[in-house]
Amino acid sequence: MLQTVEQETGASPQWSVIWLHGLGADGHDFAPIVPELVRPHWPALRFVFPHAPVRPITINNGVPMRGWYDIVGMDFRSRADMAGVRESVAQLDALIAREIERGIAADHIFLAGFSQGGAVILSAALERTAPLAGLIALSTYLPDAQATTRADGAVDVPVFMAHGSSDPVIPLAVAEHSAQVLRDLGLQIQWQRYPMAHQVCAEEIHALGDWLQERLGVA
């Protein structure tokens, strides 16, 4: 089981958000977003921020750092080590199972990810047949989008997907193509575009809050 950083917004949470960080970061990276995102009248949520394993990253001269998979080149059609992606999807499945064991219904679990972390949750959604509350994919893309299919009986899940128009790490066109592939595969995408680089912004956090509020069923 991956080590995690956890925050609960109230007693006895009945909703969970499992949030995967980007390359070279760790589980602490997005923990500060919780007070900016969560609204006072929401039900209690548990935020789970796992640490990715440390692994050599080819594109960074093999320097070891926390990453959900190796990046082997610049071409987005083949840059992701798909064996590493599948390994991270399996680790994510274990975290989902632990939340269910702790009393959170599967359809009350959100998966969130930034950059590499977002690539993993999008890959996971194409294989998962059990319910989820939704996906939050920030500044990310779908690995191996050219060869993507969905597993038989894969769950239909709403997706909040946001990207910066001047992202130098994952070009906007790559993210837009990924969003279209996901739509073609039947996922419900709410697409957001912001005048920013490879980051998050206040307007994005507010829009995500609106999206989450609707999924949580509160006014």
Side-chain angles (χ1 to χ4, degrees), residues 133-218:
L135 301 181
I136 301 161
L138 308 179
S139 299
T140 193
Y141 71 107
L142 183 64
D144 199 22
Q146 306 304 316
T148 296
T149 57
R150 294 182 73 186
D152 290 341
V155 63
D156 289 326
V157 57
V159 181
F160 179 94
M161 193 169 183
H163 212 86
S165 57
S166 56
D167 190 327
V169 178
I170 301 172
L172 178 64
V174 172
E176 289 178 330
H177 175 68
S178 294
Q180 188 56 54
V181 169
L182 292 167
R183 287 191 187 99
D184 292 344
L185 290 170
L187 276 74
Q188 312 160 43
I189 307 292
Q190 178 174 321
W191 171 259
Q192 304 282 146
R193 172 178 170 176
Y194 299 98
M196 63 180 184
H198 196 63
Q199 61 191 102
V200 296
C201 65
E203 185 181 0
E204 178 183 17
I205 294 170
H206 182 78
L208 174 56
D210 289 344
W211 183 87
L212 276 169
Q213 184 162 286
E214 183 178 350
R215 310 270 100 65
L216 293 169
V218 292

Side-chain angles (χ1 to χ4, degrees), residues 75-105:
D75 189 338
F76 278 88
R77 293 170 296 183
S78 58
R79 69 181 314 195
D81 166 33
M82 293 307 296
V85 172
R86 288 189 289 272
E87 176 187 327
S88 290
V89 168
Q91 291 172 318
L92 177 60
D93 286 342
L95 290 172
I96 294 170
R98 187 178 68 171
E99 289 308 293
I100 293 171
E101 290 171 2
R102 293 201 282 184
I104 307 295

